[in-house]
């Protein structure tokens, strides 16, 4: 502000009024959502302290470089930030992979994709594939034989198959029960079913670190939850302690299933195996 004699007044600071429109509101909301989902992701993966440390570093960096305008320290922090992005990608590659998969596997996204990939004829449910699985699970449930069966769907599970022993046999009730028999060398691992075939057994699955999994559920359930989080696979669990049958799908459990409920889920979710 300038007086009539051309001299600046004491309040010579120019206050800039930035236009604030709908795009700015959307921008703020999107940043808030990004931070919120990043917080949730880090909390589930037990990396919350790392996330808080990163946020503190970013705040210090902004204060030093933008508010205090410390050139030397600001330039050092700028270099650390530019290099740190690559370090964060390496450090949190599994979390980033899980986040991107969750984004792509979201039901609304899938519904949109189906509009472009929908075929004229829907696949028919193959009872010859489903019923041996259901009957084997019921038999193992009565005998309290632990089992973990992973059914591949859209996402290929070749990396999981490679951790076990290749079988490549047709789906058969007796074969499934023999694989999970207590004295079988493959009974502790997971069976992978792909394209109407028992692809492999004794496979190792990623274990979920979700905090809200009930404590009475064991390692099989955590492994089933892990594969359902990392892929669109459906995992069937037979508890060795209780004999109860559960299904893990889309990162959620369906517990204490009857034969009819299990058959209904497989019929609904598995068109082509």
């Amino acid at each position: 502000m300038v007086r009539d004699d051309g001299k600046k007044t004491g309040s010579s600071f120019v206050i800039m009024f930035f236009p604030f429109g709908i795009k700015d509101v959307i921008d703020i909301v999107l940043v808030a959502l990004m931070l919120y989902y990043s917080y949730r992701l880090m909390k589930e993966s037990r990396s919350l302290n790392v996330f808080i440390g990163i946020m503190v570093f970013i705040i210090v960096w902004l204060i030093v470089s933008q508010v205090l305008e410390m050139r030397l320290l600001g330039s050092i922090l700028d270099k650390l930030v530019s290099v740190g992005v690559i370090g964060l990608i390496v450090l949190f590659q599994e979390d980033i992979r899980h986040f991107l998969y969750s984004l792509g596997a979201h039901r609304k996204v899938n519904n949109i994709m189906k509009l472009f990939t929908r075929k004229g004829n829907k696949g028919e449910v193959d009872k010859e594939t489903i019923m041996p699985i259901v009957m084997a699970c019921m038999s193992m449930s009565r005998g309290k034989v632990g089992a973990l069966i992973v059914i591949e769907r859209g996402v290929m599970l070749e990396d999981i198959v490679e951790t076990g022993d290749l079988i490549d046999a047709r789906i058969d009730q007796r074969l499934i029960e023999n694989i999970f028999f207590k004295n079988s060398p493959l009974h502790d691992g997971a069976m992978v079913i792909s394209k109407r075939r028992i692809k492999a057994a004794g496979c190792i699955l990623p274990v979920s670190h979700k905090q809200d999994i009930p404590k009475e559920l064991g390692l099989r359930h955590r492994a089933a939850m892990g594969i359902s989080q990392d892929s669109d696979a459906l995992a069937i669990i037979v508890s060795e302690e209780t004999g109860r049958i559960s299904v893990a799908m889309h990162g959620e459990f369906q517990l204490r299933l009857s034969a009819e409920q299990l058959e209904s889920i497989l019929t609904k979710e598995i068109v082509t195996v």
Side-chain angles (χ1 to χ4, degrees):
M1 189 173 180
V2 182
R3 298 189 311 189
D4 295 338
D5 56 2
K7 295 182 179 179
K8 294 182 180 179
T9 62
S11 58
S12 59
F13 297 99
V14 179
I15 303 177
M16 301 295 294
F17 293 95
F18 294 98
F20 193 81
I22 185 66
K23 288 196 299 183
D24 301 287
V25 175
I26 295 174
D27 188 21
I28 293 173
V29 170
L30 290 177
V31 171
L33 287 174
M34 183 181 67
L35 292 175
Y36 171 71
Y37 282 108
S38 298
Y39 169 80
R40 283 186 54 185
L41 181 66
M42 295 298 176
K43 186 177 180 180
E44 291 179 358
S45 63
R46 299 186 295 182
S47 302
L48 183 58
N49 290 335
V50 178
F51 176 76
I52 295 174
I54 293 171
M55 295 305 300
V56 171
F57 179 82
I58 291 175
I59 292 172
V60 172
W61 170 56
L62 291 175
I63 292 175
V64 169
S65 60
Q66 302 296 326
V67 179
L68 301 179
E69 296 183 351
M70 296 180 178
R71 296 181 181 179
L72 180 59
L73 184 57
S75 62
I76 295 174
L77 294 179
D78 288 341
K79 297 295 183 182
L80 290 176
V81 169
S82 60
V83 176
V85 172
I86 301 175
L88 289 176
I89 293 175
V90 175
L91 183 62
F92 296 110
Q93 55 180 331
E94 290 298 327
D95 300 299
I96 294 172
R97 179 176 176 270
H98 173 55
F99 172 76
L100 294 177
Y101 169 74
S102 300
L103 184 64
H106 197 279
R107 291 184 178 180
K108 292 183 179 179
V109 177
N110 281 338
N111 291 335
I112 295 173
M113 293 302 296
K114 287 178 182 178
L115 296 176
F116 299 97
T117 59
R118 185 173 294 171
K119 298 179 181 179
N121 297 323
K122 293 183 178 180
E124 296 182 356
V125 176
D126 188 357
K127 291 293 184 181
E128 293 182 359
T129 297
I130 292 176
M131 291 313 298
I133 300 174
V134 175
M135 297 304 295
C137 289
M138 295 309 300
S139 177
M140 292 185 292
S141 174
R142 288 191 294 269
K144 292 187 177 181
V145 177
L148 178 53
I149 303 172
V150 178
I151 303 176
E152 179 187 273
R153 297 202 287 176
V155 178
M156 302 295 289
L157 300 177
E158 290 299 324
D159 56 331
I160 301 298
V161 170
E162 291 175 357
T163 64
D165 294 316
L166 188 64
I167 295 178
D168 195 21
R170 69 181 182 87
I171 300 174
D172 181 78
Q173 178 184 348
R174 291 183 180 179
L175 177 57
I176 295 174
E177 292 182 33
N178 285 333
I179 288 175
F180 288 110
F181 183 68
K182 291 182 180 180
N183 293 330
S184 168
L186 300 176
H187 79 283
D188 278 334
M191 172 188 293
V192 176
I193 294 178
S194 173
K195 299 176 182 178
R196 297 185 174 91
R197 305 280 291 179
I198 298 177
K199 195 75 173 178
C203 299
I204 301 173
L205 303 183
V207 178
S208 173
H209 296 292
K210 286 184 69 174
Q211 301 295 321
D212 57 351
I213 297 178
K215 293 182 179 179
E216 62 268 17
L217 301 182
L219 187 59
R220 280 193 180 93
H221 289 79
R222 285 195 170 272
M225 176 61 70
I227 194 64
S228 74
Q229 290 176 318
D230 287 355
S231 70
D232 63 346
L234 183 149
I236 306 171
I237 314 102
V238 180
S239 173
E240 189 172 354
E241 289 76 20
T242 63
R244 292 170 180 165
I245 300 174
S246 307
V247 166
M249 181 174 56
H250 304 306
E252 300 291 339
F253 277 124
Q254 296 188 43
L255 304 172
R256 301 180 182 180
L257 300 176
S258 64
E260 292 76 14
Q261 291 172 323
L262 178 60
E263 181 183 353
S264 176
I265 291 172
L266 295 181
T267 302
K268 179 181 178 181
E269 298 294 339
I270 303 171
V271 177
T272 56
V273 180

